[in-house]
Amino acid sequence: MKKVTSRSYNFRRAAVAAMLLAAGTSIVSCKDFTELAPISLASEESAFASPGNIKLAMMGVYESAAIGTYQNLKSSARGYPFGAAAIEQGEMRGEDMLNIDQFYAITYEGGANPTSLNNVTMWHTLYALINQANILIEGVQKAGAKGVITDAEAKAYEGEARFMRALSHHELLVHFSFPYADAAGGKWGVPYRTKAITSLAAYEEGLKMDRGTVKDCYTKLIADLDFAEANLPDKQPDGAQRATKGAAIALKARIKQHMGDWDGVIAESNKLIPAAAPYKSPIGAFQLTAEPDGPFTSYKNNTESIFSIANGPNANGGSNGALPAMFGPASLNGRGLVATSPILYNASFWKATDKRRALLQVYQPTTGSRYYFNYKYRDYTTRADWAPMLRYAEVLLTAAEAHARKGENDRALALLNAVRNRSVEVGDQFTTPPADLVLAILQERRIELAGEGRRWADIHRLALDAVYGFRGIPAKMKKEQMKLDGTDYNAVTPPTFPTTGGVPSYAYESFRFLWPIPAEETAANPTLRAQQNKLSD
């Protein structure tokens, strides 16, 4: 009998333990999560023996989404996979934020390998979360059949778990697989796991699963989200920290955007966007906040946040992972590791008087360390800022792109302006479509979603776009190219930076474009061993 060595399969203790956590990340600490005693099968079954336990099990799934263990260390929480890490890794794989220290150098410079910790931990914690969702799905199906909860309640819980399963698999796809546009999704995907692995027999069965194709994975993503949409409520009593019908629709719109299915994007988005302004969703009552900082000054209770991962004072990514720690300036008690890059700050398309400069950027005046930092995450004391996963602004911009791609410029411009006009002065507003409306929408995404982890996802999906794609990873700035006296940031008369000394661009064909499957995984899984991504050029 084989020994189970891969952490991606060896989930049972962590998965069941997390299900029994008390609800709410402000109550449960990381220490509680990682130091529970081993759980017996009887205890696993008890997790679904009462309505109260089932809710705790569901909250345990969200808790694991916020705080996975780093390097499998019980005492080390870094906000994996979605509490902070997905956002940080998504930004560091792009060019719009600047790596200041060595903390994110491997990700930032494209040096990931099968044992480098950030990419390895993302793989492990995403699959651990997927397995936990699968355990919950099987548990609530049985609980529903036994009458512990109603059939509708069972399906609603299953919808939440399937939403999280889809969110996790899609995160894996944008890092470990080529985009859908490559040969119409015919490249290798990632193992799309839909069965709970709680025993050696289930582990052995799991070893038979290959990566499938990207197209196969996207078909399963849509199926999971169709189920979620059909069975989730419009609103949750716990707010945006739990999946809703609107969240399932918004995620479907994002996924269809990655597929280049513009008709599909419009069909999904129209469920959330009325035909005319003011745009207030008929499902969930989502609408833009009056000011662009609204979703971040009141991250627990605002009209724009569709789905967020809850962090709390006692459960967050800590000083080595939490969003305000990583993105916050040292002058405000952050660690100052990731700043806004002059590539974005000085971009000609970001107007100098845009409100988002004053409201969502903060300047560190320290001599020799003068940077602008993202100011969306600002609880530098308790690090309780929630991690935004889906916002109504993104839905509007995703729909705008789809309409523009189809030549429906009036609708596209109206949706773009709904987001843009709350931040720019009247003289800078578009009254007619710009010459390249799609480009204007893509540029608006870079400004509006800066610091929310969407930059890499856009680079990835657009990589092969003949007009808007980089066909690889764009060049980035390095700290060493800057003068650090404050003059590096000037939106009116941008400085000229040295042409050498930065992080070079990398071609789509380079091994650096995709993260490799962890060595620990390929050592345990002979099927994936033969399907490893390119490891060198």
Side-chain angles (χ1 to χ4, degrees):
M1 186 174 287
K2 285 183 183 175
K3 181 181 179 182
V4 180
T5 58
S6 173
R7 278 181 286 174
S8 296
Y9 296 109
N10 191 17
F11 299 149
R12 182 168 175 271
R13 176 180 174 272
V16 180
M19 287 184 169
L20 299 177
L21 290 173
T25 57
S26 63
I27 299 172
V28 184
S29 72
C30 174
K31 183 177 179 181
D32 293 333
F33 172 65
T34 56
E35 293 187 357
L36 292 178
I39 304 297
S40 67
L41 183 59
S43 297
E44 183 175 340
E45 292 174 349
S46 74
F48 304 100
S50 71
N53 280 4
I54 291 170
K55 181 177 180 180
L56 296 183
M58 186 71 252
M59 298 308 291
V61 174
Y62 291 118
E63 175 79 5
S64 291
I67 303 178
T69 54
Y70 182 69
Q71 294 180 259
N72 209 30
L73 298 175
K74 294 180 181 181
S75 61
S76 183
R78 300 283 179 89
Y80 282 90
F82 292 120
I87 290 175
E88 292 154 1
Q89 297 300 313
E91 292 297 343
M92 288 290 87
R93 296 203 73 187
E95 81 280 35
D96 286 346
M97 296 185 81
L98 175 73
N99 178 50
I100 295 175
D101 210 330
Q102 289 299 303
F103 205 88
Y104 292 104
I106 290 175
T107 300
Y108 192 70
E109 297 176 17
N113 63 61
T115 60
S116 50
L117 293 176
N118 288 324
N119 48 293
V120 167
T121 306
M122 284 296 291
W123 175 281
H124 287 316
T125 56
L126 284 165
Y127 272 116
L129 177 58
I130 288 165
N131 196 61
Q132 193 164 330
N134 288 336
I135 291 172
L136 187 131
I137 289 168
E138 293 182 7
V140 297
Q141 286 174 345
K142 293 174 183 177
K146 293 177 180 178
V148 176
I149 52 178
T150 68
D151 181 66
E153 289 171 331
K155 287 180 177 176
Y157 279 122
E158 181 176 348
E160 288 186 78
R162 288 178 72 158
F163 172 87
M164 294 303 296
R165 186 167 76 184
L167 183 70
S168 301
H169 278 110
H170 192 241
E171 190 71 15
L172 287 159
L173 284 165
V174 299
H175 288 298
F176 293 93
S177 296
F178 286 112
Y180 191 93
D182 195 337
K187 296 288 189 176
W188 277 331
V190 295
Y192 203 101
R193 302 203 176 278
T194 60
K195 293 183 179 180
I197 298 175
T198 59
S199 66
L200 183 59
Y203 163 75
E204 296 284 358
E205 182 180 353
L207 288 180
K208 300 174 185 176
M209 181 180 288
D210 65 12
R211 293 176 65 172
T213 67
V214 170
K215 183 178 180 180
D216 292 338
C217 289
Y218 272 76
T219 298
K220 293 171 182 175
L221 288 171
I222 297 299
D224 270 346
L225 293 172
D226 281 342
F227 182 95
E229 178 190 354
N231 291 284
L232 284 173
D234 284 12
K235 291 187 176 182
Q236 292 277 16
D238 303 295
Q241 66 177 309
R242 292 180 66 180
T244 60
K245 186 184 297 291
I249 295 168
L251 186 53
K252 264 199 293 181
R254 177 191 287 175
I255 286 168
K256 288 180 180 288
Q257 177 193 51
H258 278 256
M259 298 169 70
D261 177 4
W262 306 118
D263 288 328
V265 170
I266 292 169
E268 297 302 331
S269 300
N270 281 348
K271 299 173 185 177
L272 301 179
I273 306 173
Y279 300 114
K280 182 175 182 179
S281 174
I283 298 172
F286 306 113
Q287 62 184 127
L288 295 176
T289 57
E291 297 292 336
D293 63 342
F296 307 99
T297 56
S298 180
Y299 52 82
K300 290 183 180 181
N301 183 27
N302 68 83
T303 60
E304 190 169 332
S305 295
I306 298 175
F307 178 68
S308 299
I309 297 295
N311 291 302
N314 298 316
N316 58 64
S319 61
N320 287 326
L323 290 164
M326 299 293 98
F327 290 174
S331 59
L332 293 178
N333 205 33
R335 291 193 60 190
L337 298 182
V338 177
T340 299
S341 174
I343 290 174
L344 176 63
Y345 193 90
N346 299 340
S348 61
F349 56 81
W350 194 359
K351 299 301 180 181
T353 55
D354 191 312
K355 287 183 179 180
R356 288 167 292 195
R357 293 186 181 278
L359 297 177
L360 294 172
Q361 297 286 314
V362 61
Y363 184 60
Q364 176 169 287
T366 308
T367 300
S369 185
R370 291 175 175 171
Y371 300 96
Y372 274 92
F373 287 86
N374 189 285
Y375 194 50
K376 289 181 175 177
Y377 317 106
R378 54 191 72 176
D379 183 355
Y380 303 114
T381 302
T382 67
R383 308 185 187 100
D385 302 79
W386 289 10
M389 296 288 111
L390 292 160
R391 283 200 291 127
Y392 198 53
E394 181 190 347
V395 174
L396 293 169
L397 292 174
T398 298
E401 181 182 349
H403 285 288
R405 296 275 191 173
K406 290 176 63 63
E408 298 164 359
N409 288 355
D410 289 346
R411 176 69 166 171
L413 181 61
L415 297 176
L416 168 61
N417 282 343
V419 177
R420 188 173 183 272
N421 286 359
R422 68 174 172 177
S423 296
V424 300
E425 294 187 340
V426 173
D428 291 325
Q429 294 176 2
F430 296 128
T431 56
T432 58
D436 193 332
L437 182 54
V438 172
L439 178 61
I441 293 165
L442 295 176
Q443 290 170 338
E444 183 65 20
R445 289 178 65 88
R446 289 176 68 179
I447 301 168
E448 178 64 27
L449 302 177
E452 296 180 52
R454 303 314 307 158
R455 184 59 187 144
W456 171 251
D458 278 352
I459 292 170
H460 181 270
R461 72 179 174 89
L462 295 168
L464 300 183
D465 190 297
V467 179
Y468 307 106
F470 288 100
R471 196 173 179 87
I473 303 174
K476 307 174 188 180
M477 291 192 65
K478 276 191 174 182
K479 171 184 174 180
E480 289 74 17
Q481 293 177 285
M482 302 175 67
K483 295 185 289 294
L484 303 181
D485 60 357
T487 60
D488 299 299
Y489 296 92
N490 190 327
V492 178
T493 55
T496 300
F497 291 94
T499 57
T500 59
V503 180
S505 61
Y506 292 106
Y508 181 76
E509 294 76 14
S510 170
F511 77 97
R512 298 175 190 272
F513 188 78
L514 295 183
W515 280 347
I517 298 173
E520 188 177 67
E521 184 74 27
T522 56
N525 189 331
T527 306
L528 296 186
R529 190 180 312 143
Q531 298 177 345
Q532 174 65 284
N533 290 331
K534 188 177 179 182
L535 297 180
S536 64
D537 290 332

